[in-house]
Amino acid sequence: MVHNNTLIALVCALLACLIWSGNFVIARSVHEWIPPFTLAFGRWTVALFALLPFSLMVLKREWQIVTAHLRYLFFMGFIGVAGFNTLIYLAAHTTTVSHIAIISAATPIFTLLIAGLVGEEKLSRYPVFGAVLACLGALTIINHGDISVLFKQAWRPGDILALVAALIWAGWSVGLRFKPAGMSPVTLMTIAMIFGLLGLMPFYGWEIQAHTVDLSSWQTWSVFLYVGIAASLIAWLLWQYSVEKIGSVKTSLIYYTIPIFSSMLAVLFLGESIEIYHFVGFILVFAGIVTSNMRRPTKAAYPPR
């Protein structure tokens, strides 16, 4: 029998995944009238101003920690805020929501590999084999199930950008393990947003000169509010609640509903079609995830870090 708290946590995690799936769909649906750097800049500007009232007191208390780790915070802001989501928004110009979602599902595997390379995770044959399966799944999506495309180099630019974005998000996830002692998540997110916006500013300035964007329309601001409030803050809070209640392992498995939600939303709102290779790619990615989480029985547990 599922306890009420567990059920609530599961629902919260599912809602977070649904909201993040909506972010992919919005990126694709508005790509003709909101260019990618403008969408990213608007998203994080809204998120920052929404977060500041709750983070100012914490920032003041932790300011010495912040000033002592500016290089770390700049790196996290550059890849996590300026990098990852902007690449997703760029990818949405030349590929489908389903492709972005399924390729992004390989991110935990890439995280595990990067963690192993930097010595933060003990790699065994299971994670490596799982990574191979997940990569094959991502490549299946990229080449539309046709292996000859790999040799013709006829890949969609958006698929490549989505793959690079997944690698960057994996780097961000590993970077979180090096978060300075005493620094709260809200401080990390606030300063990362500030640095990320500074990194986006030159590209945003160029883009609004080169493209006509109606920043006074309610449609534009409704998009900014969704990606800035719902996808950046509400989904994150729902996810954190789930992690606290049922643990990171069980919560992480729910993350793989994103390709399912994204594909359903894309079919409903964008008229995208689902092909057999989508299912093959997702099955390979999911098999890689399961394999990477297999552990050989040991007499003693690996010591926590």
Side-chain angles (χ1 to χ4, degrees):
M1 182 177 179
V2 179
H3 295 292
N4 287 338
N5 287 342
T6 301
L7 182 61
I8 292 171
L10 290 171
V11 171
C12 286
L14 286 169
L15 284 174
C17 291
L18 181 61
I19 291 170
W20 285 326
S21 299
N23 181 51
F24 292 154
V25 173
I26 282 179
R28 179 65 178 169
S29 63
V30 306
H31 75 277
E32 292 183 353
W33 50 283
I34 304 181
F37 292 107
T38 301
L39 182 56
F41 192 83
R43 170 182 182 165
W44 293 113
T45 299
V46 169
L48 178 62
F49 278 95
L51 186 60
L52 276 176
F54 305 98
S55 65
L56 282 175
M57 292 301 296
V58 182
L59 276 174
K60 183 178 180 181
R61 187 168 61 248
E62 299 177 2
W63 189 247
Q64 286 188 335
I65 303 174
V66 170
T67 55
H69 298 89
L70 288 176
R71 283 187 296 180
Y72 167 80
L73 292 166
F74 173 81
F75 174 77
M76 295 297 281
F78 184 78
I79 67 168
V81 174
F84 169 71
N85 281 283
T86 306
L87 286 174
I88 291 295
Y89 296 153
L90 282 165
H93 281 243
T94 53
T95 194
T96 65
V97 171
S98 300
H99 281 215
I100 294 172
I102 297 174
I103 293 169
S104 297
T107 299
I109 305 297
F110 298 146
T111 303
L112 190 61
L113 286 178
I114 293 173
L117 291 174
V118 301
E120 283 296 301
E121 184 78 30
K122 186 178 180 180
L123 287 180
S124 67
R125 65 177 180 271
Y126 294 119
V128 173
F129 184 59
V132 171
L133 287 175
C135 287
L136 285 174
L139 289 174
T140 299
I141 300 302
I142 291 172
N143 61 36
H144 296 199
D146 182 2
I147 194 67
S148 66
V149 174
L150 292 174
F151 305 102
K152 295 175 184 176
Q153 295 184 340
W155 294 5
R156 290 182 182 181
D159 293 336
I160 306 302
L161 289 171
L163 189 60
V164 173
L167 288 167
I168 286 177
W169 190 248
W172 158 275
S173 300
V174 174
L176 288 175
R177 303 186 184 199
F178 298 92
K179 183 173 69 70
M183 180 180 291
S184 62
V186 70
T187 294
L188 172 61
M189 284 302 298
T190 302
I191 302 300
M193 286 181 191
I194 292 172
F195 279 130
L197 283 168
L198 290 174
L200 286 169
M201 196 171 290
F203 301 98
Y204 167 68
W206 164 79
E207 202 171 60
I208 59 173
Q209 294 296 322
H211 301 272
T212 301
V213 182
D214 186 4
L215 295 177
S216 63
S217 74
W218 69 266
Q219 292 98 331
T220 300
W221 279 100
S222 65
V223 169
F224 287 160
L225 287 171
Y226 181 89
V227 297
I229 303 295
S232 301
L233 299 180
I234 294 176
W236 179 69
L237 289 171
L238 290 169
W239 191 258
Q240 288 300 116
Y241 176 84
S242 181
V243 170
E244 289 176 8
K245 295 298 181 183
I246 62 175
S248 59
V249 174
K250 290 181 180 178
T251 305
S252 66
L253 293 175
I254 299 172
Y255 179 83
Y256 304 108
T257 61
I258 287 181
I260 299 170
F261 284 141
S262 298
S263 298
M264 290 170 59
L265 292 173
V267 169
L268 287 172
F269 295 106
L270 302 178
E272 291 185 4
S273 59
I274 302 300
E275 307 292 343
I276 294 297
Y277 70 82
H278 287 123
F279 292 103
V280 175
F282 178 72
I283 289 169
L284 284 169
V285 170
F286 187 76
I289 293 155
V290 174
T291 303
S292 69
N293 282 283
M294 293 174 65
R295 292 288 184 269
R296 183 175 59 187
T298 55
K299 293 181 180 179
Y302 190 69
R305 297 185 64 87

